[in-house]
Amino acid sequence: PLAHAWPAQQPGGPGPSGAPEVPAVSARGLTRVYDVPGRRDARVVALDGVSLDLPAGSFTAVVGPSGSGKSTLLHTMAGLDEATGGRVSLLGREITTMPAAKRAAFRSHSVGFVFQDYNLIASLTAAENVSMPSRLAGRPLGRGRAVAALEAVGLADRADLKPHQLSGGERQRVAIARVMASRPRIVFADEPTGALDLSAGQVVLTWLRRLAEQGTTVVMVTHDVEAAARADTVAVMSGGRLAAWSETRDAARIAELVHSARTPARPPAQAPVLGAR
Ligand code: ADP
Ligand code: MG
């Protein structure tokens, strides 16, 4: 049943302590089926049994054609969306069976998010945005640490500006500073460079790499093969399944993998619509 296990078939070797290493992110048979509004018996299988294990400190890019289930995979692994079937464990804790409030508390302590549209709060300054997750988690950062995080991404002098006063690249760096300040053990990023020009995108990728080097587990969805080439491992999605994975750093090779995921004999590249025949 672990047909798409990656690298779940290579069990984690003993860690430095001699104990088996627990993957930071682990999914088994993860499935997400959406109802189609207005079509009572039609459903979209966005995620069709994905299994994977991501070691602590790994930097994984999730690529694949549009509609292949990349965002759904990220959101269900992060516990932002409920899986229809299967299991997800983060840092050895199964989140799929956790009560919603407990899951939210766990998330706010251990998981950070970077999204294409930054998810900054328009009415708050950059520094206030950076300290917001810690406030929600009930242990607010001092202004000093919020400004230090902004300084680390070169934005100390923008601490008191609001998102509309910042460029797209600066906003995304605020989002990165926000993640860095709360020091989560796992970061999920969905198209973090999607709205940025090349050089702003490079800055964001450099910071994601740096987080991984410091031991944070980074999972990044991207359609940009150059961005994917900055990760340690590339997971290729196709039709809701994990079609391939690779450790290549070659953008052209990643483009080939995405292309062959787009035109498979089976499964179909489009998420199949069930019950709609
Ligand atoms: P990707 O991020 O790879 O472009 P998504 O994970 O966003 O793909 O979507 C996978 C499939 O699931 C698509 O066919 C999409 O239309 C469908 N889908 C995603 N979210 C929903 C939703 N909330 N309701 C219904 N269908 C959805
Ligand atoms: Mg998406």
Side-chain angles (χ1 to χ4, degrees):
L2 294 185
H4 304 284
W6 163 73
Q9 284 151 338
Q10 312 159 345
S17 63
E21 230 167 294
V22 175
V25 178
S26 179
R28 287 294 178 277
L30 200 59
T31 301
R32 181 59 164 107
V33 180
Y34 289 111
D35 294 325
V36 178
R39 292 173 65 186
R40 262 168 130 252
D41 44 330
R43 299 180 308 151
V44 175
V45 180
L47 219 50
D48 189 11
V50 172
S51 298
L52 52 75
D53 283 338
L54 308 180
S58 58
F59 183 6
T60 305
V62 180
V63 300
S66 174
S68 58
K70 303 181 297 295
S71 294
T72 306
L73 175 63
L74 199 82
H75 291 164
T76 49
M77 289 197 308
L80 292 174
D81 186 11
E82 298 255 2
T84 324
R87 290 182 285 127
V88 176
S89 296
L90 302 180
L91 308 170
R93 308 262 315 266
E94 185 169 345
I95 61 156
T96 17
T97 52
M98 257 185 212
K102 203 168 169 195
R103 186 165 61 215
F106 174 77
R107 218 172 32 224
S108 72
H109 280 97
S110 305
V111 181
F113 299 95
V114 182
F115 294 120
Q116 175 172 350
D117 54 6
Y118 327 115
N119 278 60
L120 300 181
I121 299 169
S123 58
L124 300 182
T125 66
E128 289 164 347
N129 266 286
V130 167
S131 47
M132 186 43 91
S134 62
R135 235 169 255 291
L136 293 176
R139 17 145 229 176
L141 296 177
R143 178 177 161 90
R145 253 182 77 194
V147 174
L150 286 168
E151 192 167 16
V153 295
L155 290 179
D157 58 342
R158 304 287 201 282
D160 296 318
L161 299 186
K162 294 192 174 162
H164 72 92
Q165 297 168 311
L166 300 170
S167 73
E170 288 168 344
R171 273 179 246 166
Q172 194 59 295
R173 276 147 70 195
V174 173
I176 298 271
R178 181 174 58 183
V179 160
M180 288 171 40
S182 56
R183 298 186 192 149
R185 296 189 44 204
I186 305 172
V187 170
F188 291 104
D190 194 353
E191 305 278 7
T193 61
L196 303 182
D197 65 31
L198 201 59
S199 73
Q202 289 300 331
V203 171
V204 167
L205 289 168
T206 299
W207 279 106
L208 291 175
R209 260 239 77 83
R210 202 159 297 181
L211 284 170
E213 279 156 16
Q214 291 165 1
T216 299
T217 306
V218 179
V219 187
M220 171 182 72
V221 165
T222 184
H223 65 262
D224 175 356
V225 293
E226 301 282 348
R230 301 283 301 273
D232 302 319
T233 314
V234 177
V236 185
M237 291 290 294
S238 171
R241 297 184 180 202
L242 196 48
W245 66 282
S246 168
E247 292 183 358
T248 183
R249 293 285 178 91
D250 178 357
R253 175 72 192 127
I254 296 169
E256 280 172 25
L257 288 169
V258 173
H259 184 75
S260 47
R262 193 173 277 129
T263 51
R266 73 185 200 79
Q270 254 64 55
V273 175
L274 300 182
R277 28 191 166 243

